[in-house]
Amino acid sequence: MTNAKPCPECGQKNLFVTTTNSGGGYGPMLLPKLSGFFTTAKFEVVVCADCGLTRFFASTEARNRLATTSNWRHL
Ligand SMILES: [Zn+2]
């Protein structure tokens, strides 16, 4: 997420960011097996206010679990 600017679609820097859960309710688990014991894995969501491109970045905590779970493999 550190290099989110500028927008890769339109090149502008009018970006907004928030944090949201990666799953729950009736939707799919988008970051399976990367949640903590009491917390759901989080996304930082970056939206470009000029073109609408929306990007999802797994939180640091979720990324730190990637190497220790067999549910995720290197490409
Ligand atoms: Zn844009």
Side-chain angles (χ1 to χ4, degrees), residues 3 8-9 12-13 16 28 31-32 35 42 44 46 62 67-68 72:
N3 294 321
E9 180 71 14
Q12 299 303 308
K13 297 180 180 178
F16 290 80
L31 294 174
S35 296
K42 301 277 194 295
E44 288 181 279
V46 176
T68 60
W72 294 82

Side-chain angles (χ1 to χ4, degrees), residues 7-72:
C7 173
E9 180 71 14
C10 71
Q12 299 303 308
K13 297 180 180 178
N14 194 13
L15 305 175
F16 290 80
V17 64
T18 190
T19 302
T20 190
N21 288 332
S22 63
Y26 296 101
M29 292 298 293
L30 298 176
L31 294 174
K33 306 298 183 185
L34 299 183
S35 296
F37 197 71
F38 293 108
T39 60
T40 301
K42 301 277 194 295
F43 279 125
E44 288 181 279
V45 185
V46 176
V47 176
C48 175
D50 290 321
C51 77
L53 179 70
T54 304
R55 293 177 287 162
F56 293 83
F57 295 84
S59 69
T60 301
E61 293 79 9
R63 286 183 285 122
N64 286 343
R65 294 186 179 100
L66 282 168
T68 60
T69 176
S70 60
N71 289 74
W72 294 82

